[in-house]
Amino acid sequence: MDRIADIWGDRTPHDRATVWPARVDSYLADGITEAQVDRWVISACVLCSNGCGCDIAVKDGRMVGIRGRATDVVNHGRLGPKGLYGSIPFAASGDRLTRPLIRQDGELVETTWEAAMGRVVEVSQRLLREKGPLSHGFYTSGQLFLEEYYTLAIIGKAGIGTPHMDGNTRLCTATAAAAMKESFGCDGQPGSYTDIDWCDAIFLFGHNMPETQTVLWMRILDRLAGDQPPKIVCVDPRRTKVAEAAERTGGVHLAPLPGTNQALMNGLIRELIANSWHDREWVDAHTLGFDDLAATVEPYTPEHVGEICGIDPADLRRAAAIFGESERVLSTVLQGFYQSHQATAASVAVNNLHLLRGMIGKPGAGILQMNGQPTAQNNRECGADGDLPGFRNWDNEKHVQELAALWNVDPLVIPHWAPPTHAMQMMRYAEQGSISFLWISATNPVVSMPESARIRRILGGDQCFVVVQDLFLTETARLADVVLPASGWGEKTGTFTNVSRTVHLSDKAVDPPGEAKSDLDIFLLYAERMGFTDKDGAPLVRWRTPEEAFGAWQECSRGRPVDYTGLSYDKLRGPTGIAWPCNTQAPDGTDRLYTDPVFPTDTDQCENYGHDLLTGGTVTQQEHLAMNPAGRAFLKGAPYQPPHEQVSAEYPLLYSTGRTVYHFHTRTKTARAAALQQAAPDAWVELSETDATGLGIGEGDRVAVESPRGRIEVRARIGRVRPGAVFAPFHYGYWDLDAAGPDGGPARDANELTMTVWDPVSKQPLFKTAACRVTKIGDATGPASAPSTTASAPPDGRQLPATAGGEPTMSRIVTPTPDYPNDPSLGTDSPAPTTTIAGSQ
């Protein structure tokens, strides 16, 4: 089967409250058979946030393939196209970094580890003497391992004492954490993937799951293909595969104008209350804030919401009725909410819907505030994003003292006098030079952060010493003062945790190339050379292996909501990943939270005291105590406010960035996989038929897309985005053009146009509400490079070949397997679903 053209593979239909059948997906390099594989090494896929259990095929010291693990609770053997085709090729790519690089006379040249780390340590120590710990910043990833994040957190917080720590999770899912803290007192997904197997309806809020979590969508498709399929409600300005499923299942597709999510959510909540679809007895027993929430949403009638959002009021009523009348609803939330205006308020509103119905902690009645990266959850748990490790509250002296005792340092060393510095503010400090030392690991902010030209200026300037730790010479690495070659997936050992709190172990399968080191070993080398010690003079970081680091983390997590003490490397080498909390009370892990329903909202327990969702103003400890949460969840609301940037005669369209199924982030791995790169070889922009006609733009025409901040030149796909909106994938930078930016050629990085503005609570940048204009600058020589198998398909559903520079590059154009084999509209010739291996959860 060609899983480029047939993204989700064959169906294995199953009914509600039954086990999802297993189906093993595998891929081996050309010329390799399964009999030739020397060994299979346990791991989990890292090319989306789903965290699918898998095994790595090794032959002659090389990774040569991958297969899903049938017994794993997450994926039951399945893998998506990125996992199948993108997991292995990067490792053998000829442009891997194999030796450290150091900048000399303006050029990066190869050097030794001794010289490179010596330069890093010399600058670091000098700045600590001259300017103190606030001179240092650390910006990391959602793709390292738990053991590496925890080590980095201790280095930053107890070794240096800087609050300037964050990860690219700030761009991705900071709002997920913020929304759960506001509602439930603590991070951590309430729901489970198994809720798909039990639910009667699924609401996807700004979540294009068929492309961002392909295996999770397979699970939904298999429910839709069985008896008693759930209704689907899609909230998205594009007509995605989710929207198509909504239309087929008797659900609803709500396509609000970008930036109006909060008005839509207020309307849904109002309808629940107005129609008495809420459980007032449960609400009174287990929540706080109902009266204030009801007053906030009262003005948002369906008609008023329809005017703001540009939707049919009847569709809003229908969606609310599905939520209010279904016995079990699962809600998922992702970037369409997290990266848009009033991000935290809108995401909290999803929690409100479930709390109003008492629909939490029960099979099929869950919330998944999704992640976008495979280890984003660990970044948040371990404190590499600036939070305190173990979901502790930086504003709670008792929590700070717990860490100080654990690390044997003075509590005053640990920065907790103010909230941790978020990534956007860190870049501002680096721009000003107050952060004079910035260490970037496993991320590429030159392409992924808003307003790309500004980020290039900051990192390319001489006011800040930049260290980059990565696999390849990315756009960001090209601007660094020192580049450290790191090991990748399969080349090191460690654990990581997916969206549904499921922990997997990834054992080392092969050696890294050349002199590349694991991220853990790099951090340990820095700590040793810096001479970080505890208050007794012993080494601050006391471990040397991943397993020892995991043991240290377990002690940090003990007694906290994120308790790992019942796990071990040996246990994680079993048939499946295991969800935390895992301890003596839950030795086999915990499928879903809040079954009590008691929430970690007490003042001495919660991760923070909350915020005003409109302004970001903080709730004090005394104010929180006065509310007496007593294990109850918070219902919080906010009125709708218009986005920061409005359309105008000069910039009449709303610009939004997003993802395609064939690429991950800035393509450092996926573009090195020929099948994936061929399927989506170059950037494009999508316009509605209505807007394209008005602008005189046809399929494949070359267009300029401009905002007040920048311009890109790409080909146009006449697509399925709603009128008034424009969509561009953010994956395409310049590294494969051997450049850090667009000098010498047209710009194509979608973030050349986005804004340096962020949500007041989560501090997540807003990528989906910029104003823009689109102008034709050249005739088509073929269709745009957008895939036709996804939400980027033309409105008429034609299968167009992807193109690069107007030349067709994707020859495998086939009709995919139908998503709904039981749909009578498909006739009787639909292929029968197949199951490779029958398994159980």
Side-chain angles (χ1 to χ4, degrees), residues 482-558:
V482 175
V483 180
L484 305 176
S487 303
W489 175 84
E491 299 169 349
K492 59 183 181 177
T493 294
T495 56
F496 51 97
T497 307
N498 75 345
V499 175
S500 64
R501 298 172 284 100
T502 302
V503 185
H504 285 100
L505 173 68
S506 182
D507 271 325
K508 181 179 177 180
V510 299
D511 290 328
E515 299 175 21
K517 295 180 182 291
S518 74
D519 298 276
L520 177 62
D521 285 342
I522 294 172
F523 293 145
L524 291 174
L525 180 60
Y526 173 69
E528 180 182 2
R529 292 287 298 272
M530 289 292 290
F532 294 134
T533 60
D534 66 15
K535 63 184 181 182
D536 295 328
L540 177 66
V541 182
R542 297 184 291 274
W543 49 86
R544 289 295 175 266
T545 69
E547 192 164 8
E548 290 171 349
F550 185 78
W553 163 250
Q554 288 180 293
E555 287 306 308
C556 184
S557 73
R558 186 180 297 276

Side-chain angles (χ1 to χ4, degrees), residues 136-140 162-167 170 384-386 420-440 449 454-455 458-459 464 758:
H136 281 54
F138 294 87
Y139 182 60
T140 187
T162 179
H164 303 327
M165 301 188 75
D166 206 354
R170 184 67 56 189
D385 67 344
T421 313
H422 61 91
M424 302 305 295
Q425 190 63 55
M426 283 172 57
M427 284 295 172
R428 176 59 173 155
Y429 290 156
E431 187 174 38
Q432 296 170 327
S434 63
I435 288 181
S436 307
F437 176 100
L438 182 61
W439 190 319
I440 300 170
M449 273 192 160
R454 174 174 175 257
I455 303 301
I458 294 170
L459 299 183
C464 183
W758 52 81

Side-chain angles (χ1 to χ4, degrees), residues 248-318:
R248 287 179 177 271
T249 61
V252 183
H253 175 206
L254 298 169
L257 283 166
T260 64
N261 292 334
Q262 183 61 15
L264 178 79
M265 296 308 299
N266 283 346
L268 288 173
I269 292 170
R270 183 190 181 278
E271 284 296 289
L272 250 63
I273 295 171
N275 289 280
S276 298
W277 286 324
H278 60 298
D279 185 340
R280 188 59 192 265
E281 183 178 349
W282 193 96
V283 166
D284 289 344
H286 301 292
T287 72
L288 294 169
F290 174 80
D291 290 339
D292 287 344
L293 177 64
T296 298
V297 303
E298 177 54 33
Y300 294 89
T301 64
E303 287 70 26
H304 184 42
V305 171
E307 293 173 358
I308 295 171
C309 300
I311 62 171
D312 188 337
D315 289 340
L316 181 75
R317 289 189 173 94
R318 171 64 180 152

Side-chain angles (χ1 to χ4, degrees), residues 199-203 224 229-233 245-246 249-252 318 322 326:
C199 65
D200 305 304
I202 305 175
F203 279 60
L224 298 181
K231 289 185 172 64
I232 303 295
V233 175
T249 61
V252 183
R318 171 64 180 152
I322 292 172
S326 297

Side-chain angles (χ1 to χ4, degrees), residues 78-293:
R78 293 160 183 78
L79 293 170
K82 289 193 292 289
L84 285 169
Y85 303 125
S87 292
I88 304 302
F90 84 92
S93 181
D95 58 346
R96 280 289 298 272
L97 292 171
T98 59
R99 296 191 69 201
L101 305 174
I102 193 166
R103 190 167 296 279
Q104 293 181 356
D105 300 324
E107 300 293 328
L108 287 170
V109 297
E110 286 191 349
T111 189
T112 64
W113 271 100
E114 178 68 21
M117 190 57 72
R119 176 65 172 146
V120 171
V121 169
E122 183 273 322
V123 173
S124 182
Q125 290 179 336
R126 174 173 55 81
L127 287 171
L128 288 174
R129 289 193 305 270
E130 295 175 355
K131 299 177 67 174
L134 295 183
S135 64
H136 281 54
F138 294 87
Y139 182 60
T140 187
S141 178
Q143 297 171 70
L144 300 186
F145 287 168
L146 177 154
E147 296 81 356
E148 295 162 343
Y149 289 127
Y150 186 51
T151 302
L152 178 60
I154 293 176
I155 288 171
K157 289 175 169 60
I160 292 173
T162 179
H164 303 327
M165 301 188 75
D166 206 354
N168 65 11
T169 49
R170 184 67 56 189
L171 318 180
C172 182
T173 54
T175 300
M180 289 184 286
K181 294 175 191 178
E182 294 297 326
S183 298
F184 313 125
C186 184
D187 196 350
Q189 300 294 340
S192 163
Y193 290 172
T194 58
D195 289 329
I196 293 172
D197 307 333
W198 289 84
C199 65
D200 305 304
I202 305 175
F203 279 60
L204 295 98
F205 294 97
H207 185 190
N208 183 11
M209 187 190 291
E211 298 189 58
T212 55
Q213 284 88 20
T214 50
V215 170
L216 204 60
W217 184 244
M218 296 174 201
R219 196 166 190 154
I220 290 178
L221 287 177
D222 288 347
R223 275 293 319 274
L224 298 181
D227 293 333
Q228 298 177 292
K231 289 185 172 64
I232 303 295
V233 175
C234 171
V235 179
D236 199 307
R238 299 167 75 207
R239 188 171 179 268
T240 63
K241 293 291 183 179
V242 180
E244 292 179 15
E247 295 162 0
R248 287 179 177 271
T249 61
V252 183
H253 175 206
L254 298 169
L257 283 166
T260 64
N261 292 334
Q262 183 61 15
L264 178 79
M265 296 308 299
N266 283 346
L268 288 173
I269 292 170
R270 183 190 181 278
E271 284 296 289
L272 250 63
I273 295 171
N275 289 280
S276 298
W277 286 324
H278 60 298
D279 185 340
R280 188 59 192 265
E281 183 178 349
W282 193 96
V283 166
D284 289 344
H286 301 292
T287 72
L288 294 169
F290 174 80
D291 290 339
D292 287 344
L293 177 64

